[in-house]
Amino acid sequence: MSARGSLRRHRLIGPAVSLSAAFALAAALSACSGDEPAKKAYAVPTSLCGITVDPALVKAALPGGDSLTTATEKPNGGTVRCNLSVDGKQALSLAQAWWTQGQTTATVSQGYSDTDDGTMSEDLRFVHTGKAGVGKTVSSCKISRQPEQDLYTVVQTRDTGIDDPEAIEKLLVAYTKAVEGSAACG
């Protein structure tokens, strides 16, 4: 075989081996760098804007970070929203909103982002996705300031990369039950 043929064979093998090594190195680096979720170094209080919720359920729907802050917002006469921020960036919203009687959870959920094509509970009280959910409180949840209205709860993640249907469902159901047992229901 000529020197030229041997050189050509070497050139063909060389880049192929280098390419394989590059893929192996890239796979090893990605396994080390971004696959593990960021640590959740903050503590979640048991009471969020006056509603007692299991901190573990709340934490499951939050991103990693160092600090957690909460703020209550009342954008209109029938809504109370508890906004949770991680490291200064809004991460989760837990809300209570009064809607005209006769609505369904499916209808109300259309008013909130990230609930499209959600999973509906058998009793039709809850609908959720991996990013948001809407729940209807029990019919006995009434207050004089909101006659002929039903109280709904809303859980929404805020552009944090969280997409966990099980965590959202557990938080939504627990939050709804906590609201039902609070002063929000009279």
Side-chain angles (χ1 to χ4, degrees):
M1 184 176 277
S2 71
R4 181 176 237 175
S6 174
L7 182 59
R8 205 173 289 150
R9 185 178 305 127
H10 179 69
R11 284 186 185 156
L12 291 176
I13 294 172
V17 170
S18 297
L19 193 53
S20 297
F23 280 126
L25 179 61
L29 289 176
S30 69
C32 294
S33 62
D35 287 355
E36 290 194 29
K39 184 178 177 187
K40 299 177 183 183
Y42 49 80
V44 177
T46 56
S47 178
L48 296 169
C49 305
I51 303 296
T52 300
V53 185
D54 180 351
L57 296 177
V58 176
K59 205 169 204 177
L62 289 169
D66 294 321
S67 66
L68 177 74
T69 56
T70 63
T72 302
E73 179 183 42
K74 296 180 180 180
N76 58 49
T79 301
V80 176
R81 190 175 297 130
C82 186
N83 296 317
L84 288 75
S85 297
V86 174
D87 296 341
K89 182 179 176 191
Q90 192 174 27
L92 182 68
S93 174
L94 303 173
Q96 304 160 39
W98 290 94
W99 284 72
T100 305
Q101 280 181 336
Q103 303 295 316
T104 65
T105 303
T107 303
V108 172
S109 71
Q110 292 174 8
Y112 299 96
S113 61
D114 296 320
T115 59
D116 295 341
D117 300 319
T119 301
M120 181 69 70
S121 65
E122 285 187 28
D123 62 4
L124 306 179
R125 286 184 56 205
F126 303 97
V127 63
H128 74 280
T129 65
K131 298 180 179 195
V134 173
K136 183 177 183 181
T137 61
V138 291
S139 60
S140 61
C141 182
K142 300 285 180 206
I143 59 171
S144 60
R145 288 180 299 134
Q146 303 294 349
E148 300 181 28
Q149 292 189 329
D150 292 320
L151 183 60
Y152 286 82
T153 58
V154 184
V155 172
Q156 291 179 293
T157 61
R158 302 288 189 195
D159 195 29
T160 59
I162 299 292
D163 191 350
D164 187 339
E166 185 178 338
I168 297 299
E169 179 184 27
K170 286 179 179 180
L171 177 58
L172 176 63
V173 170
Y175 181 66
T176 303
K177 288 182 181 191
V179 168
E180 289 169 347
S182 75
C185 278

